[in-house]
Amino acid sequence: MKPGTTYAIEVNPRIPERLARLKELAENLWYSWDRPSRTLFARLHPGLWGAVGNSPKAFLKRVDEERLVEAAADHIFMGNYNRVLSSFDTYMSEPLHRDVAMPFEDGDLVAYFCAEFGFHESFPIYSGGLGILAGDHCKAASDLRLPFIAVGLLYRQGYFYQRIDNDGHQIATYTDSDFDDLPIHPAMTKDGHEVHVEIDFPGRKVVVKVWEAQIGHVRQLLLDTDLPENNPEDRYITHQLYGGDKQTRIQQEIVLGVGGVRALKALEIHPTVYHINEGHAAFLVIERVRRKVKHHNLSFQAALEAVAAGTVFTTHTPVPAGHDHFGEQMVWEYFGACCEDLGISRAEFLKLGGAGHGQDFNMTRLALSGSRHHNGVSRIHGGVSSRILSDMWPQVTPDESPMDYITNGVHVATFLAQEWQDLFDNKLGYEWRRRLTDLDFWHQVENVPDHHFWSVHQALKTQMLHAIRHRITQQHLRNHGSEAHLDRMLKYANPLDPNVLVIGFARRFATYKRATLLFENMDWLRQIMKDADRPVLFIFAGKAHPADEPGQELIKRIHEISRWPEFEGKLLMVEGYDLGLARRLVSGCDVWLNNPIYPLEASGTSGMKGAINGILNLSVTDGWWDEGYDGTNGWAIKPAPEYYDDARRNREDSQTLYELLQDQVIPMYYRRNELGFSPEWVHMAKRAIATLLPRFNSIRMVREYVDKFYGPASRQWSRFVADEFAAGRELSEWKARIQAAWGGVTLRRLDDPVRRVTYSENVQIQVAVNLDGLAPSDVQVEMLIGRASRQGQEKELRVLSFSPTGKVGNESVFTLEMTPEYCGRLIYRIRVYPYHRLLTHPFELGLMLWL
Ligand SMILES: *Cc1c(COP(=O)(O)O)cnc(C)c1O
């Protein structure tokens, strides 16, 4: 230590006039998916670019002025600069060529709320898959020019930096972001003031500052409580992503949900649709209902109906424990006063979050209570979510529940390596960017000559191996490892010889992802990996949450095994996983391994990133891969049944994994032709791109959100706000009537069931419904009819409606006249459920009776 105080001063260059627009580029996250623009910065000073964490804004503050002056006089640099600007200007100003109409009207706007966003490693406000997905959603919304605004929290400490020490311990270091280095600026009102909003906390007000980021065409608002007006604890609320304790968490979620709505209002932004992306943001429902009650003289229920009709909720985890929840008392402390404004009791409030009877207040429940459009993120996950949340719709079977699904997708320009983009420009024409959801178009990939295709892959693999070597070297030398040991570790990670089969596994180290499944049977694994002529290199990377001990144990175990002599050089555990490293791995490995416990991987997205880059997935058919795998585009680990115990499932799934590795993956990779590659492999890789890229990208995903939810939710919202929320009042009163009467409703058949008819003969069926005071128009009576399958279920199901035709006593009679459409054995069932034209989903009340 040197004596005395050390002061720091940053000297900023003046940016030459000719390069003034570099600042503009640094302020728009367009750079996160435009590689040429990042290259423009990096080439100015590659060392500094790495040192500032690939952040254009930080770079511009620290680069030597002389270097900039030089560049401004260099016609080659200026050529690149102008090319990048021209492509930026084109993106920002050219109207979109649209082949399909959007279901939006003037004034429609979607507000997308999420606790984390992962756009780029230079903007660390994300932790994992959820954030990256939210980032990709915004990027696609920008590409599609959607009326769309994102809302999130601005953390001082976002993604932590991970180091792994000599013993395999994860060391998490959080560094404070300097907000001046982030691509953000304070949001301003029309009359030029910074935007601050206030939130009532018990006994005090918390002030929230609103910042703004720009993602192509999309604006993002970011909330920050680190202000001198707040007391020291409150300044800490938005300090760390998923940091602190339960108190911090609920405070963060209030800032996001309540503060987010207030920030929009302060900026005079009026969304027509609110999208709650994962339960963290669900308090926005309360704030919106409160405003409607206060300003429009509505009952709580009427306001809730209106708010919910325009709200979309996406759930992202199939593990009930993964849904955020808070103790009753804690929630009440923050919302008790608000409930007086709302005119509801404590019990009514708690019920919104499914609390009471020993249950916590659950954010997923709140989000479901406050939205009428809900989805999971893959087909399997949609089904699992309907089942675990089925008591929200007690009389509706999970297969008909309002819980829908939209499978995730990844942003192609962000994750598709530049080299592939260049190849596609060349072979498919520039228009491939406009054909991202066109399955037929992408079959052309299969016409790319094999050797050409392979050389692109090998070039990317070389780059990836370079990067891995560099990281492992730093990691090893910092941990005081020896040079000799380093050489042994890097034996197969050799950029000069990219002909070793490389299998990647990189993701968060949550235990359900089973990062160590590969080590289930060490003898078998040794057997598979001992062939010196057919070496295999496994690369692992990923972070465990600093509070997740079992997750950190997994890292330690992998690190340990990588030190065993027989695995030295064949197994690497690389530290510091982030978006930058992810982009490298998903374009440079040969195989992408994913082996979670079924059905806990809601979707998974890293495998999609690999697939679009021609990497072959070797994965459990869970999440997206169950939909993606078609027998020709990768390998499927069919999961052992759920009713086996964990140990047995691990055993069975790992056995499938070993068999695939030894019988298929490794032999196929090494069945090389005279040109030095495996033609079968290349064909499979082409199939992966051709079949998976056009399906698992974020344009397809966001279009589905638009068609299924954003469009209909906008229309529902217009219906509900009309005439001072007349629809909200009407529907809430109707629902109250239904809820009160439904217990007394009964259904019985009046006619004797006919068992045999001749084709084209008419059949009449009559039922009597005791409506207990409800009107016949309050319900729908239906027949579900189809051919009988072997299991006695209906196939080719048709739904036919009965009509009200009078009364018997105090029961209403409903009649159906029908002529069966085909011969054979048909089976049918009859049901009654409440119906109103204003319902968003016919079964949203969750009530239904069957005969
Ligand atoms: C894509 C991505 C994830 C999510 O990966 P999963 O397959 O969903 O586990 C997590 N972290 C980073 C940095 C990513 O790029």
Side-chain angles (χ1 to χ4, degrees):
M1 282 291 275
K2 304 237 168 75
T5 309
T6 308
Y7 298 94
I9 180 166
E10 184 181 276
V11 183
N12 303 139
R14 281 163 303 189
I15 314 274
E17 194 57 44
R18 296 190 79 190
L19 298 182
R21 294 193 66 199
L22 280 178
K23 278 189 168 164
E24 214 179 308
L25 292 176
E27 291 274 355
N28 192 320
L29 281 143
W30 179 72
Y31 71 71
S32 67
W33 68 92
D34 184 73
R35 221 203 34 206
S37 66
R38 298 200 300 274
T39 305
L40 195 65
F41 290 97
R43 290 277 157 77
L44 277 172
H45 193 319
L48 179 64
W49 176 251
V52 296
N54 304 357
S55 162
K57 203 167 164 193
F59 182 90
L60 277 188
K61 284 169 59 195
R62 283 172 225 161
V63 65
D64 250 341
E65 188 168 305
E66 263 171 55
R67 186 68 198 92
L68 292 173
V69 172
E70 235 172 71
D74 173 353
H75 70 278
I76 296 177
F77 181 85
M78 288 309 291
N80 286 331
Y81 172 69
N82 288 324
R83 260 193 299 279
V84 167
L85 280 180
S86 135
S87 107
F88 178 61
D89 289 340
T90 307
Y91 183 84
M92 293 307 288
S93 59
E94 285 293 305
L96 185 63
H97 165 99
R98 258 198 230 292
D99 37 10
V100 231
M102 285 278 178
F104 292 117
E105 293 174 7
D106 280 351
D108 282 353
L109 176 67
V110 178
Y112 180 88
F113 281 60
C114 191
E116 51 169 312
F117 287 87
F119 300 110
H120 188 250
E121 59 271 22
S122 60
F123 194 13
I125 54 167
Y126 66 98
S127 98
L130 177 68
I132 315 254
L133 179 86
D136 283 3
H137 196 108
C138 296
K139 291 171 183 178
S142 168
D143 293 344
L144 289 165
R145 312 288 197 274
L146 293 195
F148 189 91
I149 185 163
V151 180
L153 295 175
L154 183 61
Y155 305 99
R156 186 66 67 174
Q157 299 185 338
Y159 211 30
F160 65 87
Y161 190 76
Q162 175 202 47
R163 278 180 299 167
I164 297 173
D165 75 8
N166 213 13
D167 300 317
H169 297 121
Q170 167 176 291
I171 299 170
T173 31
Y174 285 94
T175 43
D176 283 5
S177 291
D178 181 346
F179 288 173
D180 280 345
D181 286 353
L182 301 183
I184 54 171
H185 55 271
M188 292 290 178
T189 57
K190 284 203 186 94
D191 45 12
H193 295 294
E194 282 194 3
V195 180
H196 290 206
V197 297
E198 286 183 353
I199 305 178
D200 291 305
F201 271 31
R204 62 195 193 274
K205 286 196 188 303
V206 171
V207 184
V208 180
K209 174 169 171 173
V210 186
W211 296 78
E212 201 170 321
Q214 192 70 33
I215 300 96
H217 290 270
V218 164
R219 272 172 96 179
Q220 185 192 30
L221 304 183
L222 290 160
L223 310 167
D224 165 26
T225 62
D226 188 8
L227 302 172
E229 295 92 309
N230 290 327
N231 70 36
E233 292 85 69
D234 293 340
R235 293 186 71 153
Y236 239 72
I237 297 174
T238 54
H239 187 71
Q240 196 181 77
L241 173 59
Y242 303 141
D245 54 11
K246 276 258 168 201
Q247 264 314 328
T248 320
R249 184 64 80 88
I250 194 172
Q251 292 175 346
Q252 289 188 338
E253 296 187 3
I254 293 169
V255 170
L256 177 59
V258 177
V261 172
R262 293 188 185 175
L264 288 163
K265 298 299 163 200
L267 283 159
E268 295 171 59
I269 298 168
H270 305 289
T272 49
V273 175
Y274 282 75
H275 187 164
I276 302 171
N277 194 46
E278 189 56 57
H280 311 118
F283 286 132
L284 72 83
V285 170
I286 314 268
E287 171 62 5
R288 293 184 60 220
V289 169
R290 190 190 65 80
R291 299 178 73 89
K292 303 287 168 290
V293 168
K294 187 163 161 213
H295 300 300
H296 301 276
N297 187 30
L298 285 179
S299 71
F300 170 78
Q301 290 300 343
L304 181 64
E305 286 306 328
V307 163
T311 304
V312 180
F313 167 55
T314 305
T315 173
H316 289 266
T317 163
V319 195
H323 296 168
D324 252 335
H325 53 89
F326 302 106
E328 259 183 46
Q329 190 50 38
M330 188 184 282
V331 184
W332 190 247
E333 261 169 48
Y334 289 96
F335 287 97
C338 164
C339 286
E340 278 176 28
D341 294 347
L342 292 173
I344 56 171
S345 67
R346 176 174 169 139
E348 283 170 294
F349 176 76
L350 292 174
K351 203 174 133 224
L352 288 173
H357 314 290
Q359 294 287 322
D360 272 359
F361 189 94
N362 184 305
M363 296 301 281
T364 300
R365 299 274 158 166
L366 174 61
L368 288 170
S369 308
S371 64
R372 297 287 174 261
H373 313 262
H374 343 274
N375 70 298
V377 291
S378 68
R379 182 169 56 205
I380 291 176
H381 179 236
V384 172
S385 300
S386 315
R387 267 177 276 133
I388 62 178
L389 299 165
S390 60
D391 58 330
M392 291 291 298
W393 306 281
Q395 296 178 336
V396 175
T397 54
D399 57 318
E400 283 195 307
S401 106
M403 178 58 71
D404 206 331
Y405 77 88
I406 292 178
T407 306
N408 285 165
V410 295
H411 190 246
V412 171
T414 301
F415 291 104
L416 182 64
Q418 189 66 37
E419 287 74 358
W420 287 118
Q421 302 196 23
D422 296 343
L423 179 84
F424 296 162
D425 284 346
N426 226 313
K427 301 284 176 188
L428 313 184
Y430 296 109
E431 67 176 306
W432 66 265
R433 292 158 217 272
R434 219 190 298 141
R435 299 288 198 94
L436 289 179
T437 58
D438 184 341
L439 282 161
D440 288 337
F441 178 86
W442 285 91
H443 282 299
Q444 293 180 67
V445 167
E446 299 184 61
N447 303 334
V448 175
D450 285 359
H451 63 277
H452 199 156
F453 186 97
W454 188 244
S455 69
V456 171
H457 172 71
Q458 291 297 83
L460 288 164
K461 187 167 170 184
T462 299
Q463 290 178 26
M464 184 273 291
L465 291 172
H466 256 297
I468 294 299
R469 257 184 111 81
H470 178 69
R471 284 187 185 237
I472 291 282
T473 305
Q474 279 190 327
Q475 188 174 331
H476 188 76
L477 297 180
R478 188 198 59 234
N479 288 336
H480 308 294
S482 73
E483 297 264 356
H485 186 192
L486 181 63
D487 285 347
R488 294 199 302 277
M489 275 169 65
L490 294 177
K491 174 161 180 216
Y492 293 104
N494 182 0
L496 300 176
D497 179 21
N499 294 307
V500 172
L501 173 61
V502 177
I503 302 183
F505 182 105
R507 47 183 55 82
R508 278 179 311 113
F509 273 60
T511 39
Y512 78 85
K513 293 184 184 256
R514 296 193 294 191
T516 54
L517 189 76
L518 182 67
F519 310 120
E520 204 40 41
N521 182 334
M522 290 310 286
D523 289 337
W524 198 340
L525 183 62
R526 268 188 204 100
Q527 195 61 34
I528 289 172
M529 293 186 51
K530 76 165 195 236
D531 188 345
D533 295 333
R534 303 190 308 176
V536 184
L537 169 64
F538 283 93
I539 300 180
F540 286 84
K543 298 175 175 177
H545 190 281
D548 177 8
E549 291 290 335
Q552 294 176 52
E553 273 307 305
L554 297 176
I555 294 179
K556 188 152 175 276
R557 173 137 173 88
I558 295 170
H559 176 90
E560 248 165 49
I561 297 175
S562 76
R563 299 291 168 101
W564 294 4
E566 68 269 42
F567 290 114
E568 230 171 35
K570 298 180 178 170
L571 205 77
L572 298 173
M573 176 73 221
V574 189
E575 66 185 14
Y577 187 51
D578 69 356
L579 259 168
L581 181 56
R583 282 198 307 275
R584 283 247 182 265
L585 289 172
V586 299
S587 59
C589 294
D590 297 298
V591 172
W592 199 251
L593 175 66
N594 191 19
N595 46 36
I597 304 190
Y598 175 91
L600 299 191
E601 184 81 303
S603 163
T605 51
S606 58
M608 302 175 187
K609 299 169 194 167
I612 65 174
N613 284 290
I615 293 194
L616 297 176
N617 277 272
L618 166 58
S619 296
V620 170
T621 42
D622 193 7
W624 82 282
W625 189 233
D626 177 61
E627 293 157 59
Y629 174 69
D630 72 357
T632 69
N633 56 6
W635 295 277
I637 303 171
K638 297 270 158 56
E642 274 177 81
Y643 54 81
Y644 286 3
D645 64 38
D646 282 358
R648 178 143 181 228
R649 292 173 76 184
N650 290 349
R651 214 158 51 236
E652 300 246 338
D653 290 352
S654 63
Q655 178 168 346
T656 313
L657 170 59
Y658 295 135
E659 281 172 359
L660 283 168
L661 282 171
Q662 83 182 15
D663 301 338
Q664 301 199 32
V665 181
I666 300 173
M668 189 200 277
Y669 184 82
Y670 285 104
R671 263 198 299 276
R672 293 185 171 151
N673 62 11
E674 63 286 358
L675 294 173
F677 61 85
S678 158
E680 288 163 86
W681 192 278
V682 171
H683 290 164
M684 205 184 233
K686 287 181 182 175
R687 288 285 301 164
I689 297 182
T691 58
L692 301 169
L693 187 148
R695 292 178 60 207
F696 298 97
N697 68 69
S698 56
I699 294 290
R700 190 274 306 145
M701 168 179 77
V702 171
R703 278 233 57 123
E704 265 189 70
Y705 276 100
V706 168
D707 295 338
K708 257 186 185 166
F709 294 151
Y710 295 162
S714 265
R715 298 292 64 78
Q716 274 297 74
W717 176 247
S718 318
R719 284 168 96 186
F720 275 73
V721 282
D723 301 328
E724 268 299 297
F725 295 93
R729 295 173 211 265
E730 182 182 341
L731 189 62
S732 65
E733 282 158 24
W734 177 79
K735 281 192 180 176
R737 239 171 7 94
I738 298 289
Q739 299 281 11
W742 195 254
V745 173
T746 58
L747 174 66
R748 70 186 175 95
R749 188 154 182 177
L750 286 179
D751 59 302
D752 266 339
V754 180
R755 304 193 59 92
R756 209 175 296 282
V757 291
T758 311
Y759 181 64
S760 85
E761 208 178 302
N762 200 34
V763 184
Q764 190 193 58
I765 297 173
Q766 282 201 318
V767 295
V769 186
N770 179 350
L771 287 166
D772 204 25
L774 299 176
S777 58
D778 288 331
V779 297
Q780 192 62 259
V781 181
E782 281 177 354
M783 166 190 282
L784 276 63
I785 182 164
R787 286 182 200 274
S789 76
R790 262 190 215 176
Q791 297 78 29
Q793 308 258 309
E794 305 105 345
K795 290 193 302 188
E796 299 159 42
L797 189 71
R798 301 252 291 135
V799 179
L800 307 172
S801 293
F802 286 69
S803 312
T805 50
K807 295 200 103 177
V808 277
N810 57 5
E811 289 170 307
S812 298
V813 177
F814 288 79
T815 307
L816 173 69
E817 305 269 356
M818 65 141 187
T819 320
E821 281 175 54
Y822 22 66
C823 297
R825 222 168 90 72
L826 303 182
I827 52 175
Y828 62 91
R829 294 177 295 146
I830 296 168
R831 67 185 179 189
V832 58
Y833 58 91
Y835 178 76
H836 193 284
R837 70 192 154 77
L838 288 170
L839 290 174
T840 303
H841 190 284
F843 307 144
E844 67 185 55
L845 271 162
L847 301 175
M848 184 180 286
L849 293 179
W850 293 90
L851 196 62

